[in-house]
Amino acid sequence: MDILVVEDEKRLAQALQQILTEAGYRADAVYDGRTGYEYAKSDYYDAIILDVMLPLMDGFEVVNKLRHDGISTPVLMLTARSQLVDKVTGLDSGADEYMTKPFEPEELLARLRALTRRKGEVILDELSFGNLTLDLNTRNLSSGNKSVRLSSREFEVLKLLMINPKQAISKDQILTKVWGVESDVVDNSVEAYVSFLRKKLKFLKADVAINTIRMVGYRMEMLSE
Ligand code: CA
């Protein structure tokens, strides 16, 4: 799960990143409101931890603009100020939760779990498509009695395709989701990983394939289709 931290106190931002990483999230940190808005607008993140007092654009304005853009990513507002008026403004502007600094990491993580659950995310142990089963805990990909363990990149790429079967996924979406927003990886590494995955599908005698959709990206389909 990917979390965006928007916090101008760099030490706190880094501490948050560390707490989140240790809890198994992937976290990006940015240090001003405008950059936070630009990142959040990509609709890439599963939740946003947003400070109120920020340079260039304050947290209320960020969340306001996001909601106006139709971005419904859950927002946990963070602020040193604890006045009721802030709380009301924060919730009015579309924030989902509100927390005052200082806070306990456990409380932050608990609120984050509640927020991301609220979004309707189902915790899955495996994904299936055709005769393939991808174990989300062990990264084992199996069909019938054959199984292979995927590398973490292969796993992330295949997971994205299997979560959205029969839907075209662009190389950009794969790059952003698997390598991250700030990645300077070129898109032929997506091709390389797709080619590794195709070899594994062949070895597993999968009845599904990763098809190339010209000018668009990739799509997982049943072989018969
Ligand atoms: Ca601040």
Side-chain angles (χ1 to χ4, degrees):
M1 214 176 269
D2 299 281
I3 313 292
L4 177 64
V5 175
V6 190
E7 167 60 74
D8 59 317
E9 290 167 50
K10 290 202 175 167
R11 273 168 56 194
L12 179 57
Q14 281 159 8
L16 281 166
Q17 243 181 330
Q18 195 182 341
I19 291 166
L20 292 167
T21 307
E22 280 168 10
Y25 297 96
R26 219 189 57 77
D28 291 324
V30 295
Y31 312 110
D32 70 78
R34 193 173 299 154
T35 311
Y37 168 67
E38 292 299 330
Y39 271 61
K41 209 169 59 167
S42 70
D43 205 10
Y44 162 75
Y45 295 95
D46 300 291
I48 302 162
I49 298 176
L50 181 63
D51 187 28
V52 170
M53 298 299 285
L54 287 166
L56 302 180
M57 196 188 284
D58 75 30
F60 297 135
E61 199 182 340
V62 171
V63 76
N64 237 322
K65 282 171 78 86
L66 287 174
R67 297 303 183 240
H68 185 262
D69 293 344
I71 304 294
S72 58
T73 313
V75 171
L76 172 56
M77 282 262 203
L78 216 56
T79 179
R81 297 183 302 175
S82 54
Q83 289 99 330
L84 189 63
V85 59
D86 278 354
K87 192 159 189 163
V88 172
T89 316
L91 295 173
D92 277 355
S93 68
D96 303 270
E97 269 280 9
Y98 198 92
M99 253 182 94
T100 51
K101 297 185 246 183
F103 53 84
E104 292 296 323
E106 290 74 21
E107 194 193 348
L108 177 90
L109 292 172
R111 297 229 193 165
L112 205 53
R113 276 195 298 274
L115 268 187
T116 47
R117 254 203 310 276
R118 221 174 280 167
K119 211 179 114 195
E121 181 126 357
V122 183
I123 312 292
L124 290 173
D125 285 326
E126 56 178 44
L127 288 172
S128 296
F129 185 49
N131 64 354
L132 280 186
T133 301
L134 179 62
D135 188 311
L136 299 180
N137 300 311
T138 62
R139 305 205 302 258
N140 270 321
L141 180 67
S142 58
S143 88
N145 53 7
K146 288 184 165 183
S147 114
V148 287
R149 187 155 186 274
L150 301 182
S151 74
S152 66
R153 296 280 196 218
E154 290 171 341
F155 170 76
E156 293 296 336
V157 172
L158 188 66
K159 189 170 87 174
L160 193 56
L161 291 163
M162 282 182 76
I163 287 175
N164 306 286
K166 301 179 187 176
Q167 288 177 45
I169 308 291
S170 71
K171 279 187 188 172
D172 270 356
Q173 279 173 288
I174 298 174
L175 277 176
T176 313
K177 203 67 189 167
V178 176
W179 278 269
V181 173
E182 282 178 300
S183 149
D184 49 10
V185 175
V186 284
D187 63 358
N188 60 18
S189 32
V190 176
E191 283 167 34
Y193 280 94
V194 166
S195 129
F196 298 153
L197 284 167
R198 282 177 175 150
K199 288 193 182 111
K200 290 183 174 168
L201 295 190
K202 199 168 174 190
F203 167 77
L204 293 168
K205 297 191 169 26
D207 61 4
V208 298
I210 303 171
N211 293 330
T212 303
I213 314 298
R214 225 170 79 82
M215 312 294 283
V216 180
Y218 300 99
R219 182 159 63 202
M220 257 198 121
E221 290 170 299
M222 302 296 293
L223 276 182
S224 52
E225 282 172 23

